[in-house]
Amino acid sequence: MFTTALAATKSPIDLFAAIQELKEEMNAVILAHYYQEPDIQDIADYIGDSLGLSRQAASTDADVIVFAGVHFMAETAKILNPDKLVLLPDLAAGCSLADSCPPEAFAAFKAAHPDHLVISYINCTAEIKAMSDIICTSSNAVGIVSQIPENQPVIFAPDRNLGQYVIQQTGRDLLLWQGSCIVHETFSERKIVQLKAEHPEAEVIAHPECENAVLRHANYIGSTTALLKYCQQSHAQAFIVATEPGIIHQMQKQQPGKIFIPAPPVNSCACNECPYMRLNTLEKLYRAMKNRSPQINLAESTRLAALKPIQKMLEMSSK
């Protein structure tokens, strides 16, 4: 009922103004992922990928962090800022990739390979981070694995597609946990080939979480931030974008003269949109700030264990 009433009495312009007022009153910072809806991206203080958001969360002097993303991202902000209030507009905004790596099953997997170093993609729960030696993102995974001595066995979790990409780029023999992202596994190779035929001038750009069948058609592979920068630098005037289409809002804002075509899913659905990212709305963000809830809280033992591999990532990423 409250949602309906709010939607009926508040226009988007009112919400923008109300959020701005609350932000100043609370000394809050709004961090948003590129996959959030355009209105949230437009009101955010910082928009980025997982690595950029982690760095912002680590360096902010705000008292309140409003995280417009999914649960593991807000958890990461809390791990880095135990004394700050961290808000997530919708606690149900989870992650299919994080869900594909249950802590108990991963603990058994790790115990079966005690000589392995554990490098985990940041798209995982705090419990998985706590069992890891180093965290990585799609921006720095190749660089971090490249810094590990070649004689050191490595478990790479939870994304098998990103892990396979890292293997191809580094030549390393990684032991992969078989997790995946429902969005990045939904793109249709056949439809991308068809789009390329219809738009021969377009370049295909893809996130490394995509399956190899899609990546082999890509002119460029990179994190969301890397894809955004590539579109700015490329002389191409059209791009087929194989990642969550929320990033296209920023691409269009930065390069309004260029054409961005979302890569289609296998089925005739909106499966290329992350259902978890889209749970956050401007109305929910406003209510979270107004009510100072939902809050992200972690057991201190888990937070401290998860902090070490994140700090290791930030240290190795600066090299």
Side-chain angles (χ1 to χ4, degrees), residues 6-271:
L6 181 63
T9 59
K10 293 283 189 180
S11 70
I13 294 176
D14 291 330
L15 284 174
F16 271 91
I19 289 169
Q20 184 63 35
E21 184 177 335
L22 281 171
K23 190 173 68 171
E24 294 173 3
E25 177 185 311
M26 301 166 70
N27 186 27
V29 63
I30 300 174
L31 306 181
H33 194 274
Y34 287 125
Y35 297 164
Q36 292 291 284
E37 65 173 43
D39 280 349
I40 290 179
Q41 292 188 41
D42 289 343
I43 203 168
D45 297 291
Y46 178 83
I47 313 160
D49 60 9
S50 295
L51 178 59
L53 291 167
S54 296
R55 284 175 168 154
Q56 288 294 316
S59 62
T60 185
D61 58 1
D63 296 318
V64 179
I65 299 173
V66 186
F67 216 114
V70 293
H71 199 275
F72 78 80
M73 297 177 178
E75 277 188 338
T76 302
K78 187 65 177 180
I79 290 166
L80 292 164
N81 296 277
D83 298 326
K84 296 183 187 296
L85 180 65
V86 178
L87 304 174
L88 181 67
D90 192 325
L91 282 180
C95 172
S96 60
L97 178 54
D99 290 345
S100 72
C101 191
E104 287 187 8
F106 187 72
F109 184 74
K110 177 183 175 183
H113 303 90
D115 58 334
H116 282 57
L117 184 82
V118 178
I119 299 178
S120 293
Y121 186 28
I122 200 168
N123 296 34
C124 64
T125 64
E127 289 81 6
I128 299 300
K129 289 182 175 70
M131 286 186 261
S132 305
D133 296 294
I134 309 169
I135 298 302
C136 71
T137 71
S138 56
S139 298
N140 62 24
V142 171
I144 282 178
V145 170
S146 296
Q147 294 179 55
I148 306 302
E150 292 188 7
N151 62 350
Q152 172 62 61
V154 173
I155 290 173
F156 189 92
D159 190 272
R160 63 190 177 206
N161 294 322
L162 178 59
Q164 191 60 50
Y165 175 73
V166 172
I167 289 171
Q168 292 172 357
Q169 296 299 305
T170 63
R172 296 295 297 271
D173 182 19
L174 306 178
L175 180 59
L176 304 181
W177 176 267
Q178 296 298 307
S180 63
C181 165
I182 57 172
V183 171
H184 287 98
E185 286 211 325
T186 196
F187 297 117
S188 166
E189 180 189 13
R190 179 182 61 80
K191 291 183 180 179
I192 288 174
V193 171
Q194 183 179 338
L195 271 179
K196 286 180 67 177
E198 294 171 359
H199 303 275
E201 79 288 0
E203 291 189 338
V204 177
I205 58 174
H207 193 282
E209 283 183 45
C210 294
E211 293 181 314
N212 188 58
V214 169
L215 295 182
R216 67 186 180 188
H217 296 284
N219 298 92
Y220 181 78
I221 300 168
S223 67
T224 44
T225 296
L227 296 179
L228 192 61
K229 289 179 180 178
Y230 181 79
C231 291
Q232 295 173 320
Q233 298 166 357
S234 172
H235 295 298
Q237 295 300 302
F239 302 88
I240 297 168
V241 183
T243 191
E244 214 279 353
I247 186 66
I248 291 177
H249 179 60
Q250 292 301 315
M251 291 174 172
Q252 289 174 330
K253 285 178 69 174
Q254 295 184 13
Q255 300 289 310
K258 295 185 178 182
I259 297 169
F260 301 96
I261 307 162
V266 174
N267 300 313
S268 299
C269 61
C271 307

Side-chain angles (χ1 to χ4, degrees), residues 283-309:
E283 290 86 353
K284 289 178 183 177
L285 191 149
Y286 167 78
R287 292 203 306 273
M289 296 178 71
K290 186 72 174 177
N291 300 328
R292 293 179 173 251
S293 176
Q295 298 182 21
I296 299 295
N297 293 297
L298 293 169
E300 185 64 1
S301 58
T302 301
R303 188 193 73 81
L304 289 172
L307 178 61
K308 292 179 182 178

